[in-house]
Amino acid sequence: MLPNIHKSLKEISKSDDFLQTTINIKDNLIHFSYYKTLINHEQFHHDLLSFFQIPNYEIKNLDDLKALIPIDGIKVTSNLEEILQSLVRGSIFLQLDPHLNEGLIVGIADLKLGHRDHNDTENEYSVLGPKVGFVENIDTNLNLLRRGLVTEKLKFEELIVGSMSKTRVVIAYLEGITNPQHVNTARQRLMDLDFDVVFETSLLEQLITDNSNSPFPLFLSSERLDRIMYAVLNGEVAIICDGSPSIITGPTSLFSFIISPEDYYLPWIMGSFFRLIRYFGITFSILATSFYVAILTFHYTVIPRDLLGPIIESRANVPFPPVLEVLFLEITIELLREAGSRLPTKVSQTLGIVGGIILGQAAVQAGLTSNILLIIVSLSALASFTTPIFKISNTIRFLRFPLIILASFCGGLGIMIGLMFILGHLLRLKSLGAPYIVPLFPFRHNSFSDSFIRSSFTLTSRRFLTPRPLSTKRYSVQKNKDIGDDYNNE
């Protein structure tokens, strides 16, 4: 026996925003059921109700009713689950007889309500290049991606994730380029999820990641259209979640988080220079304060004689050991950063400038820290912001603390032990089943042309081997050289 649709609709009508109305049109009673908070009311009146006033049109069955309505995607169904899911997504259910288990599903959801109109890249700004970013509407994001990659090879697979949220999640990939193994892995992990509400791709990333206990992000998350296009072109899988302005891609490598799209809009020499600056900044941010603790606690004999005097003078009135001094400043910086990120923009800027100056000067005058350490911690904080991806910046901030603790116990040996643990952890990490620190391990010399430096376009005509693409060729180098030769000969 089929479930009673009339009884089910009566149950959900307990919600005040669910309406059930009946309209008499030429001796035909048409019963409407819908959530008034989800439908597009302008489309409801102009594209639906207005066509019921057509004269000399007789409605005998649901097929006649379907032919009358000028809206695509109308479906005749008696499946109760499908009807209920369509209603909560903004569809209208039409019936000629409310006691029959059959009716029309008409999709007129208001897709723009609650979504922002502008799509600037607020969190991944660059001076050069396009400023187009994604928004919280998945259909808009799919449109942007489809317009950016104008090829029939771009495929979308839609899944429903979340037992209560019923969130639309789309897997995007290039057929013939993306390795099917990665597509199958992403699809299987999404289908195996048993979660109630999926709010955003960051939550989705934690649920399908290869290692949820790692501080390193194993999926690259970005709101920039050009970055996601570049990842998909290289054979990676993109996962798009409704309600999220960010898209995650994988399998990715650690070096992908250091690469900025702006590197490719500059000459390769300048792009390589700025990329090396980022690597230096990351190294300095992780190791600077731990080296300060190790040197002043165990290895003060390596300090040059000319520098020893200023350090002694700077720490003359500081009653704490170096480790407490460093932890005090590091935690203060983190407090200022967290407070600034939670406040309105204008207030947070004032807090960062005034708070940093006042607290830093007061800490030095009170003898809680030294001038030299204040400079080191400030530079370390600035260096952590050189990464173009916010999530890897958080990882850098986190890694400083265990290295500081190890340096306070074992000095330089403790730092080396900590770095070995980090390296061992990185060797074990995988992203969608692929090694995380390619091209270092496994060693791929062909991928070094666009990892530590950004080489000329004549050396990057092949795709990365990290995602194991089916086709490695991107463009023809010889053809581009011939064009340049023809121009020079003229």
Side-chain angles (χ1 to χ4, degrees), residues 15-198:
S15 177
D16 290 338
D17 66 333
F18 185 79
L19 299 181
Q20 287 184 289
T21 58
T22 302
I23 299 178
N24 190 342
I25 301 175
K26 298 181 180 63
D27 298 329
N28 290 291
L29 295 179
I30 301 179
H31 305 269
F32 293 79
S33 302
Y34 60 93
Y35 285 95
K36 66 178 182 180
T37 53
L38 297 178
I39 68 167
N40 188 322
H41 291 273
E42 182 178 355
Q43 188 179 10
F44 176 60
H45 288 92
H46 290 80
D47 296 346
L48 192 62
L49 294 183
S50 61
F51 282 87
F52 289 147
Q53 309 302 324
I54 298 177
N56 302 323
Y57 191 92
E58 187 177 0
I59 301 175
K60 296 181 179 180
N61 50 45
L62 291 175
D63 291 330
D64 294 337
L65 188 61
K66 179 181 179 181
L68 181 63
I69 303 173
I71 298 176
D72 295 332
I74 299 177
K75 188 175 183 180
V76 179
T77 183
S78 60
N79 188 302
L80 176 60
E81 183 66 23
E82 185 179 9
I83 294 170
L84 296 180
Q85 289 301 318
S86 300
L87 285 171
V88 296
R89 292 189 180 279
S91 297
I92 291 181
F93 184 57
L94 305 181
Q95 292 177 285
L96 294 177
D97 188 344
H99 297 285
L100 294 179
N101 289 343
E102 193 175 34
L104 286 183
I105 295 176
V106 184
I108 55 172
D110 193 342
L111 300 177
K112 295 184 178 180
L113 186 64
H115 296 288
R116 55 189 170 103
D117 296 326
H118 62 90
N119 58 339
D120 298 332
T121 53
E122 299 178 357
N123 299 320
E124 296 179 63
Y125 181 79
S126 64
V127 178
L128 300 177
K131 308 298 187 294
V132 180
F134 297 105
V135 296
E136 287 79 4
N137 190 332
I138 190 172
D139 293 309
T140 302
N141 295 340
L142 295 178
N143 176 269
L144 291 172
L145 199 56
R146 177 67 71 180
R147 281 168 35 188
L149 297 175
V150 189
T151 173
E152 71 282 357
K153 293 182 178 180
L154 180 61
K155 305 298 181 182
F156 294 147
E157 290 187 19
E158 183 171 329
L159 303 172
I160 302 299
V161 179
S163 59
M164 296 189 67
S165 63
K166 305 296 182 183
T167 306
R168 295 171 60 196
V169 177
V170 172
I171 302 173
Y173 62 94
L174 286 175
E175 189 178 34
I177 295 177
T178 306
N179 196 310
Q181 180 180 350
H182 301 318
V183 180
N184 295 334
T185 302
R187 184 193 302 115
Q188 191 62 45
R189 292 184 183 182
L190 291 171
M191 292 177 62
D192 291 343
L193 279 183
D194 185 9
F195 207 72
D196 51 357
V197 178
V198 177

Side-chain angles (χ1 to χ4, degrees), residues 103 113 165 198 221 278 320 336 355 362 441:
L113 186 64
S165 63
V198 177
S221 176
R278 289 188 212 108
F320 305 112
L336 284 173
F441 178 81

Side-chain angles (χ1 to χ4, degrees), residues 413-471:
L413 178 61
I415 296 176
M416 293 304 299
I417 292 174
L419 292 178
M420 292 301 294
F421 270 105
I422 293 173
L423 179 59
H425 178 68
L426 289 173
L427 289 172
R428 297 180 58 189
L429 287 181
K430 292 185 177 181
S431 174
L432 272 184
Y436 188 58
I437 58 172
V438 176
L440 290 181
F441 178 81
F443 187 78
R444 299 285 188 269
H445 69 278
N446 293 331
S447 298
F448 273 92
S449 59
D450 197 10
S451 54
F452 291 100
I453 62 171
R454 196 230 107 180
S455 301
S456 171
F457 285 121
T458 58
L459 300 177
T460 57
S461 62
R462 298 285 179 179
R463 292 184 173 89
F464 289 154
L465 299 179
T466 305
R468 291 181 294 167
L470 300 182
S471 174

